[in-house]
Amino acid sequence: GVVAGPCSSLGLDSFQSRVLVDFGAKGRYNYTRAQLAFENLVGDYAKEDKVVATSTIGAHVRSGDFGVVLKLGKAADSLRCDFGDARVVDAPVDALAHASFWAGTETS
């Protein structure tokens, strides 16, 4: 489906955090963010996935740096990723891995 706008049913619980999703002939439904997922862009990577660089990418991203997927990259099999500190790069998919956690956020 495609997000069509804000929640259309003010009587629903958490209506302020819901969006209306249009599924064409199948109808329109209100969902919370927790009920939605982004479509995979390349491989099994989706928008807002947390990633870690597995090798150096360009001049400013080192192996082990954490980032977030923003969208498809310009080159085939690449993703536009934000590694913080103004380091937004098109990263080849083979230079990324899914990050299971952000550094310093591990729990015992």
Side-chain angles (χ1 to χ4, degrees):
V2 176
V3 174
C7 181
S8 64
S9 298
L10 302 181
L12 290 174
D13 64 312
S14 305
F15 76 90
Q16 302 94 334
S17 64
R18 291 178 180 262
V19 293
L20 180 65
V21 180
D22 186 352
F23 291 94
K26 293 182 180 181
R28 300 175 89 170
Y29 302 93
N30 292 292
Y31 290 98
T32 64
R33 174 145 172 104
Q35 293 174 300
L36 301 174
F38 291 108
E39 179 181 10
N40 287 347
L41 299 171
V42 174
D44 62 349
Y45 292 97
K47 182 178 176 182
E48 295 189 10
D49 277 356
K50 295 174 183 142
V51 294
V52 61
T54 57
S55 61
T56 299
I57 303 168
H60 303 289
V61 178
R62 303 285 176 243
S63 180
D65 287 351
F66 290 91
V68 177
V69 174
L70 301 175
K71 61 182 182 177
L72 285 172
K74 291 180 181 176
D77 293 327
S78 72
L79 296 166
R80 171 70 54 147
C81 298
D82 184 349
F83 286 91
D85 301 322
R87 297 179 303 155
V88 176
V89 299
D90 282 355
V93 174
D94 62 0
L96 299 172
H98 285 280
S100 57
F101 57 84
W102 288 105
T105 63
E106 311 87 308
T107 57
S108 343

